[in-house]
Amino acid sequence: MASSNAIIIGGGHNGLVCAAYLARAGLSVTVLEADHELGGAAKTIEIAPGTKVSGCAHILNQLHPKVVADLQLEEFGLEYAAADMDTVALDSDGKHLVIKGGDAELSGDGITTGDREVWPEFRARLMRFADTLKPILGQTPPRLKSPEGRDSLALAKLGWSVRKLGRDDMREFLRVILINVADLLEDEFEDDRLKGAVALDAVLGTHQGPRSPGSLFSLLYRYAGEALGQQGALALPKGGMGAVTQALAQAAEAEGASIVTGAMVEKILVEDDRVKGVRLATGDELGADCIVSAANPRTTLLGMLGPEHLDTGLVRRLRNIRMQGNAAKLHLALDGVPEFKNLDRLHLDGRLVIAPGIDYVERAFNPSKYGHYSPEPVIELTIPSIADPSLAPAGKHVVSAVVQYAPFELKAGWDEASKAFQEKVIDLIAQYAPHIREQITAAQLLTPADLETKFRLPGGHWHHGELAIDQMLMLRPVPGVAQYATPMPGLYLCSAGSHPGGGVMGAAGMNAAARVIELEGRP
Ligand SMILES: Cc1cc2nc3c(=O)[nH]c(=O)nc-3n(C[C@H](O)[C@H](O)[C@H](O)COP(=O)(O)OP(=O)(O)OC[C@H]3O[C@@H](n4cnc5c(N)ncnc54)[C@H](O)[C@@H]3O)c2cc1C
């Protein structure tokens, strides 16, 4: 049986980050990816001849700066087609509001002087709050009851970063940290377009509405991310999200890692109470001193390892991870530039959102609690081919839209309902871009059921497990495996299902690699 120091199960972006760091530390590393292409939920797909789009993740706003710098991703080809994107809160009457990237200034008709004045200060305050979370993203989450100085130090660092806010900010931070984003926005602003757009940011990728407790925390978590050195900024990688993964794969290979695609791991093999390798779906076996799974934690531990190796409490906690996706993805190939009512073409390289008010977003969320999709969903839409013509043939364009809410467990069943939902979403977009239907040459809706089968995201979940306060930090994915190591010696976790969660961030892969080196040592 061929053998490596480390096998990484899954060539999504976290698996590749982990592979690169471990290979750099001198381990012989083999990445095994089940799919024929790398990237997982961060890949570029072709939806019509010559028309390409980011399959799941489409906006880069969280890739950890240390990953970008350490792995020299720009040297390995990572380029940006758009940086510091504006957000346009679309209005069906054409009275759009624009939140400028960078300086975060507001523009558009009908914005009150009060809102204009409060917004920059409000955003800056949230950025300071989000800043307190940053140190914890790039490290193993501390255990609460631990004799180890390392854990106490990490907790102290977290406390210190809150303390550093100063008295007034710290008080405000503690007041708002667990409240819902709707309450805070209602206190501060009048403009429904602005409140809707910010509320959308707080709930993207989650099973939450803006009035769900903890939705402000989700927003802060998002704002803790950065793109091209700017906190809270949004960027588009040139070539789609697959370009990030390609750069990571090249970085890992340059460090000496081997990457094998079309290699589906079926079983993690154990001998003498320690992992000894994996068996592939083909029946081939590969040996390893340690295994790091970049696949979903539940699939890894209950599927590939098997509950017989785990205690019953841990098995129960793993079964109970909330992992019901609520987002779908719509891709449209267009035969020209879409026209949005009263929107200057200059804004089409930004992010367009359909979320015209907090109540609208909350109403969109409500049906999903009962297993129905939103008749009027919220949408985050980009036309990446505007800034990146490589994605579509000359004169043609592609739309990439995240659509919520679309519950994984749909009462009507996605086989039945997918087409009707797709038509509803296109109808909704047509309220803002009236001629878009005539321009569509191909359409693809990826429901949460498709995300599970085509992208191996259990429950179709964006984060491999709901990213909510009870499933974060030292509770992610569940206590007992939250520090990347598992009770099975030699087996580690590193997907978005582990701390600090999903988004194309790479931090789980980076932190897990450090933990493997700490516990297993260098060869
Ligand atoms: C609709 C949607 C929109 C999103 N939008 C954004 C966005 O705009 N910005 C953003 O930052 N994030 C976004 N995300 C989230 C982001 O895509 C994910 O959180 C992130 O890509 C997860 O990365 P990962 O490497 O942890 O896991 P994955 O990308 O899921 O990688 C896991 C890999 O493991 C492989 N695998 C699984 N089982 C096996 C096995 N048995 N053997 C071998 N290989 C296996 C899989 O094929 C996959 O390649 C979005 C997600 C979705 C679903």
Side-chain angles (χ1 to χ4, degrees), residues 9-15 32-35 37-43 55-62 241 263-266 294-296 299 304 327-329 380 402 451 455-457 460-464 494-497 501-505:
I9 304 174
H13 83 285
N14 273 314
L32 301 172
E33 166 55 48
D35 200 28
E37 277 174 67
L38 293 170
K43 67 162 78 102
C56 293
H58 63 167
I59 293 179
L60 201 60
N61 59 325
Q62 291 183 300
M241 205 53 80
M264 167 88 174
V265 174
E266 201 171 64
N296 183 278
T299 319
M304 295 182 233
K329 189 85 193 296
E380 177 190 68
V402 173
L451 295 173
F455 291 85
R456 295 188 179 79
L457 291 169
H461 203 287
W462 171 311
H463 296 284
H464 282 280
C494 82
S495 79
V504 180
M505 202 190 277

Side-chain angles (χ1 to χ4, degrees), residues 314-333:
L314 180 56
V315 170
R316 185 176 41 76
R317 290 197 294 279
L318 289 164
R319 288 199 175 123
N320 289 341
I321 298 173
R322 288 180 294 113
M323 207 182 297
Q324 301 276 317
N326 214 342
K329 189 85 193 296
L330 178 73
H331 302 135
L332 302 174

Side-chain angles (χ1 to χ4, degrees), residues 475-506:
L475 304 176
R476 188 166 187 85
V478 292
V481 288
Q483 282 77 26
Y484 307 108
T486 72
M488 172 55 66
L491 177 61
Y492 297 82
L493 302 174
C494 82
S495 79
S498 291
H499 171 78
V504 180
M505 202 190 277

